[in-house]
Every structure is written in C-alpha cells, then in structure tokens.
Amino acid sequence: MKNRIAKLVAVMLATAMIAGCGGSGNQNTSGEQAGGGNSAETVEPTAEESQEPAADAAQPEENGGEKIVTLANTGAWEALHPYSSNRDTHVAFLYPIYESFVTITGEGEILPRLFESWEQSEDGSVLTCKMRQDAVWSDGEPITANDVAFTLKTAAEPALPIEGGRQIVGLFVGTDDLGVLVDGEEFGVKAVDDYTVEFTFKEDKKSTILNELYSMRYTFTLPEHCLKDIPLESLLTDPFWENPVTSGAFTLDNIISGERMEYVARDDYYLGRPQMDRLIIRVIPANNILSAMMAGEVDGTVYGSLLSYSDYELAKQNDQLETSEAPGFGNTHILLNNGNLDQNARLAIDCAINKESIINDVLYGYARPAINAIVPENPYRNENVEGNPYDPELAKEYLSKSSLDTSKPLTFIMASTNTLGQSIAVLVQQQLQEIGLTMNIETYDSATVSSKLFGGEFDLGLMSSASNPFEPSESRFYFQLAPNGWCCLTDDSWINLYDEGLKGLTLEERKPYYDELQERLVAEVPMIFLYHADMLFVNSKKISGMPYGDFSLKGWRYEEWTVQ
C-alpha cells in the first residue's frame, strides 16, 4: 500500500471528531432540506474545495496498462470509518471499501448484497435477514451476522466519541430518541446465528419492508474480529484506520487528504471482481469537472447533476463524452409562513408562479412540474389530483379575498450558496409583481436560514429535498406544529394525517391517507412544490453499464460496470 495514509489519517480523524455525526441513517441526499442536508443545487465550492485539481492524478500510462476509472465528486470525505457522517459525498468515498446490506433501485426493487433474503413479522416490528455465506473480509475472514450486530451496537454505545447522527440505530428498540443505548434494555439488533440477523424496530419506526431496508441500504458493516478489543474511547483514532480491512469490491491503496482516494479491485469479492483494476475518486469543484472530463482526466461523476446546466449542454456537443438524463425523484419547493399568509394569499401565490417558465428559463428544461413531493410514477401518487393552474387573473381574485397587507413587501429567504435558487427567486419576484405583490430576497448561510424558518422570520423560503422516494411521508417534517416545523403551522390535522399513513404496512393500507394529503396540499397550499429536477450524467465512452438511476440512492454497483 502506498502509505500516504499513515501521515494523513490523524488530520482526517480530527475532522471526523469535529463533524461528530455517527451512523448511517435514512437522510439522503442531496437536498437543502429538513435536517440541513446539502442541496444538489447548492454546488458552489467551499474555499477548500475550490483548489485546482492535482496535476499528478494517476493516469493509465503511469500504471502499467491498468484499467483505471476516475470519478469526480465536489466534496471531500470526513474519515475512513462510517461513524462520522451519512452525507452523500462521504458515503460515496466509503462505498468502494464497505459492503452494504442491499441495494435499492430507482424503481423500488430491493437487490440482495450481504443480505440474500428477508422476512417481516406480521406486525411489522421484526425484520429477519439471511446473509450470504460466501462474502469475506479482505483478510479472508468470513463476514457474519456478528459483524452486523457489532457494528450497529457500537454505533449506539454512549462511550463512542460521536455526537448525534445515530439515526439508523435510533430505529431499533433499546435506544433513546438520540440513538443511544438505554441501560437495562435489550438492543434491537442481534445475530440469531452466524448468517441470520434480526432487527426489532420501535413501534413508531416500523414500516414496510421496502422502507425498512431503504433506511439501512448503506449501513456499512465493520469487522468485529479486528475492532472488538479496542476501547470505544479510542476506536476512531486506532491505527486500524490507516489500512482498514475492507468488505467491499476494493481495498484502499492511496489517499491524499481532501483531494482523492485510490482503490484497488479485490479478486475475492463475492459478487465478482470489478472490470476496473483501479478506481480513483477525486475532489473537484463543480465548475472544473467538465474541463477535466474533456482533457481525459475524469471519466464520470459519483452523482448526476454535479455539472451546471450550461456545462451539461456543452458536454452534449462533445463526441468523446456520453450524456444521459433520468427523471429525478427529488423536489424543489417554496415554504410558506402559514402564520403570515392565509389560505387565499397562499393560493394567490401558487397561481401566480409559472413553474414551466422556471423549468425552461433556469433549468434548461431538465425538470418536471411538481404538485407535491410524490413523483408521477410513484404508486402512491393520486392520479385524480391536478395542481393549481398558472393564472395571474385567478391569483388576483384570491389575493383580493385575503387579509394580506399588500402594501408591505414579502420576505423570501434562501441559502446564499444556492446560486441556481437565486435565479429562481428573481423569477418568482417578477411573477408576484404581476399580481401586485412586492418581495425582498434575502440570502443567509444555511444555519441562519434554518433558524429563521423555525422562528417564523420569513414569508417564503426556498428549499430542496430528495429523501426516500418510496415513502410519501418524506415532507412530514415541514408539517410539525410551530416552532418545530418550517411552515409555521398551528393545525395538527396535517401531522395526524401523515402519522395515520405511516401506521400501515402495505400500500393499500397507506394510500387513502396519502390520497387525502395530496388533495389538501392543492386545496390549502401550506407550501408550494415547484419541480422535480432531472438527473444529468456525463461519462467517457470507455465506461458503460453504470446504474445511474440508483446513484442518488447510494448504489453504485461497480462490479456491473463495463470498462474498455
């Protein structure tokens, strides 16, 4: 191993301790969203990320004819262990070396990985998973149910030096609301035998099989035989992380802190050796990715839509690159202060906003209008519900019936890093002027935006979310009563409707509640859903077979790629 790792791991582990978000929970992706995730549309590089890509990136001719695939990411990892964060960018760097339980496809299909089969109890509280028996660690030891139970219980240990971020273990009995073990209670993850794991969910956390496995889809397992004797207080700084034993398709070969990781394919990987000999994931600012691809230094990206829309249009004109689009399941929306805006005012704003104009003028047409968080192809979508029309005259009628003081400007807040969103805000500002409303646009850092939303110091706020595409309760957070939700609601019927839907264990049991929810969202407009952005991918022609539809769900499946 080319061990630049040893002298750099201390810096990374220090970063992990500061980040302090352990476990791998069900919070996706890619949205400036409830919980403060990073938006796929907020791609402005930080000062650290804005450095030019290293000129000494490994090239095929420097590595004896190896098949090398180099991918770009706009952010860096946080540590070499999975207890630090569940941020998309961090997971992308760990996925090559740590195996996941299952993969969830964009169509909602559960594909086996470490788990080859699963069964749910009749009341939905217990999920029993059978593991494959041919998966081994990179040191040759078998991967067993004991490793799974050890990993998750360790994440819940109060002595493990992480703060918060234990979302995944917080699903199971025996933990408190923060995901920390409760004294005297049995933890809800246990190894029944060497290759059977049993998960027992809290009453309010049990769900459909798809949703339960979706929550755990990138819960990375660690080797008990290597870590069990290390004190919890020093586990995250142990020399093990300088050259970790891995369970994924690759071993870690080289690392340059904040710049790139290099991996080598494993011959003994149980799902089959990847066709690439070496995988490199580099940290590159979004505005430099296309030039790196055109120069042959980068073959693709770990997520779609990392390029700007203008760069994507340029990539489509380059005959050395392949481009592709796929419908996205995330959504961008405008939060409304329901304490300041009555129903007629909210309906007026909804009818005044031209979603098609936003999509065509700002997003180059790469999106679909949204009327709620549920994309049209989702089985929970209520096909009988249509959104309110773009109709300025109708908007004026609603506005005349409202109690809103139109002489005072509305306040529209958003993240200062979201340049795409700022273009959207200007369009909305112009469209509201057509019905007699003025609006001031204010930008802040993400923490301040969140604080103002909780405090009701806004009228409109721009956000994006790309959480679980198979669970319609994704937007539940917004509908919590003030001051715990971002829509400043005082009517608990919304949250009750979400919770009734969550009680069901089948689509048939849940759908009536979510049908009613979608009807009310259009009739009462507590928030405005703008669009579902498409996922845009660019890659060199030497690679193919990438499961692009699953990238945003954290499923890269490198063993399936074809590499010339």
Side-chain angles (χ1 to χ4, degrees):
M1 182 169 187
K2 298 187 281 183
N3 249 327
R4 298 189 193 183
I5 296 176
K7 61 184 180 182
L8 294 164
V9 71
V11 175
M12 290 191 304
L13 290 170
T15 302
M17 297 295 290
I18 295 171
C21 292
S24 298
N26 177 21
Q27 189 174 1
N28 211 32
T29 136
S30 59
E32 181 80 48
Q33 60 187 13
N38 295 326
S39 172
E41 299 180 87
T42 308
V43 294
E44 291 298 302
T46 64
E48 181 181 42
E49 294 167 354
S50 296
Q51 300 173 3
E52 290 295 322
D56 62 342
Q59 299 298 319
E61 60 269 25
E62 299 172 356
N63 290 276
E66 290 179 310
K67 288 185 177 181
I68 300 174
V69 170
T70 301
L71 303 178
N73 201 356
T74 54
W77 61 97
E78 294 164 29
L80 287 173
H81 58 75
Y83 291 134
S84 63
S85 173
N86 65 348
R87 288 176 56 236
D88 288 356
T89 187
H90 185 64
V91 173
F93 279 101
L94 296 188
Y95 183 94
I97 56 176
Y98 295 118
E99 189 56 279
S100 55
F101 296 158
V102 296
T103 292
I104 308 293
T105 73
E107 291 74 37
E109 182 182 4
I110 306 170
L111 300 181
R113 293 189 78 79
L114 280 181
F115 293 170
E116 64 178 4
S117 64
W118 38 85
E119 182 178 7
Q120 189 181 46
S121 64
E122 187 173 340
D123 68 353
S125 63
V126 178
L127 185 68
T128 303
C129 299
K130 295 287 187 180
M131 298 180 63
R132 289 184 58 141
Q133 300 186 26
D134 55 351
V136 298
W137 296 100
S138 57
D139 64 0
E141 290 294 315
I143 302 174
T144 71
N146 294 312
D147 294 314
V148 175
F150 166 81
T151 300
L152 290 172
K153 186 175 183 182
T154 299
E157 290 283 358
L160 190 71
I162 58 177
E163 298 177 7
R166 293 178 164 98
Q167 295 98 329
I168 185 63
V169 289
L171 299 175
F172 310 122
V173 299
T175 64
D176 62 19
D177 291 341
L178 298 177
V180 176
L181 292 175
V182 176
D183 285 343
E185 294 188 16
E186 184 179 2
F187 182 49
V189 180
K190 66 179 181 180
V192 178
D193 56 44
D194 284 347
Y195 295 101
T196 306
V197 188
E198 184 179 275
F199 302 94
T200 303
F201 291 81
K202 296 175 181 176
E203 180 64 25
D204 62 341
K205 302 297 184 182
K206 65 184 183 181
S207 185
T208 63
I209 294 178
L210 174 60
N211 199 42
E212 289 180 349
L213 284 172
Y214 179 93
S215 299
M216 299 188 289
R217 70 195 185 284
Y218 59 92
T219 303
F220 298 131
T221 302
L222 297 174
E224 181 187 30
H225 66 283
C226 297
L227 302 175
K228 63 181 179 180
D229 296 326
I230 301 173
L232 288 169
E233 295 79 0
S234 58
L235 178 64
L236 304 185
T237 56
D238 190 82
F240 170 84
W241 306 107
E242 297 177 14
N243 188 5
V245 172
T246 67
S247 55
F250 300 86
T251 55
L252 186 60
D253 184 59
N254 186 35
I255 188 169
I256 299 179
S257 181
E259 182 183 313
R260 72 174 181 263
M261 282 194 189
E262 300 182 11
Y263 315 84
V264 174
R266 286 180 56 189
D267 293 328
D268 61 348
Y269 183 54
Y270 72 108
L271 293 177
R273 185 188 189 278
Q275 289 190 22
M276 65 198 81
D277 300 301
R278 182 180 294 269
L279 171 67
I280 301 171
I281 302 181
R282 295 176 55 186
V283 180
I284 302 179
N287 57 0
N288 289 353
I289 292 176
L290 180 60
S291 60
M293 296 186 76
M294 294 175 68
E297 299 171 357
V298 171
D299 300 305
T301 59
V302 295
Y303 287 103
S305 304
L306 293 184
L307 276 66
S308 67
Y309 288 106
S310 57
D311 277 357
Y312 183 75
E313 289 296 306
L314 288 174
K316 290 175 68 174
Q317 301 171 27
N318 188 301
D319 59 8
Q320 300 302 311
L321 300 175
E322 296 281 359
T323 61
S324 59
E325 297 110 37
F329 51 77
N331 68 87
T332 293
H333 45 261
I334 295 176
L335 301 175
L336 300 177
N337 186 330
N338 285 243
N340 294 348
L341 304 168
D342 62 22
Q343 183 172 341
N344 280 312
R346 301 193 303 269
L347 282 163
I349 294 171
D350 194 15
C351 291
I353 294 175
N354 188 339
K355 299 177 184 179
E356 291 288 356
S357 175
I358 292 172
I359 291 170
N360 293 326
D361 296 343
V362 181
L363 308 178
Y364 288 64
Y366 295 115
R368 298 174 290 172
I371 60 173
N372 51 58
I374 305 172
V375 294
E377 57 271 18
N378 190 305
Y380 285 102
R381 180 68 172 255
N382 187 336
E383 297 179 355
N384 297 318
V385 174
E386 296 182 1
N388 292 310
Y390 165 60
D391 188 336
E393 294 306 314
L394 179 60
K396 291 176 183 177
E397 290 182 26
Y398 282 126
L399 193 58
S400 68
K401 301 174 185 177
S402 78
S403 60
L404 183 65
D405 183 352
T406 58
S407 67
K408 296 180 180 180
L410 299 172
T411 300
F412 189 110
I413 66 172
M414 58 181 303
S416 56
T417 54
N418 190 349
T419 54
L420 180 68
Q422 291 170 35
S423 297
I424 293 172
V426 170
L427 266 183
V428 171
Q429 184 182 54
Q430 294 168 354
Q431 291 166 2
L432 292 187
Q433 283 177 346
E434 294 180 16
I435 67 167
L437 290 176
T438 58
M439 184 181 86
N440 294 332
I441 301 170
E442 300 179 2
T443 62
Y444 304 94
D445 61 81
S446 295
T448 302
V449 169
S450 180
S451 176
K452 286 183 173 293
L453 291 171
F454 279 122
E457 302 175 42
F458 76 104
D459 295 302
L460 300 87
L462 187 69
M463 282 284 159
S464 293
S465 179
S467 189
N468 187 337
F470 317 113
E471 174 46 66
S473 65
E474 134 172 24
S475 300
R476 180 184 181 278
F477 164 82
Y478 299 134
F479 295 90
Q480 296 183 97
L481 298 186
N484 298 313
W486 283 352
C487 287
C488 304
L489 291 165
T490 56
D491 176 4
D492 63 3
S493 66
W494 289 99
I495 205 73
N496 291 339
L497 192 56
Y498 274 106
D499 290 345
E500 286 300 314
L502 282 169
K503 291 178 182 178
L505 295 177
T506 65
L507 184 148
E508 290 74 21
E509 292 172 338
R510 293 179 169 210
K511 197 171 190 308
Y513 300 101
Y514 294 129
D515 281 349
E516 180 183 347
L517 172 67
Q518 293 169 73
E519 293 168 0
R520 287 189 61 187
L521 287 172
V522 172
E524 301 177 43
V525 197
M527 59 189 289
I528 298 172
F529 294 87
L530 294 177
Y531 60 82
H532 305 286
D534 295 340
M535 297 181 288
L536 309 178
F537 297 93
V538 182
N539 59 268
S540 69
K541 292 186 175 180
K542 79 176 189 182
I543 55 175
S544 59
M546 296 78 73
Y548 276 148
D550 308 336
F551 276 26
S552 292
L553 304 181
K554 302 178 177 69
W556 289 268
R557 307 206 303 270
Y558 290 111
E559 72 280 358
E560 297 181 6
W561 296 22
T562 297
V563 182
Q564 296 181 359

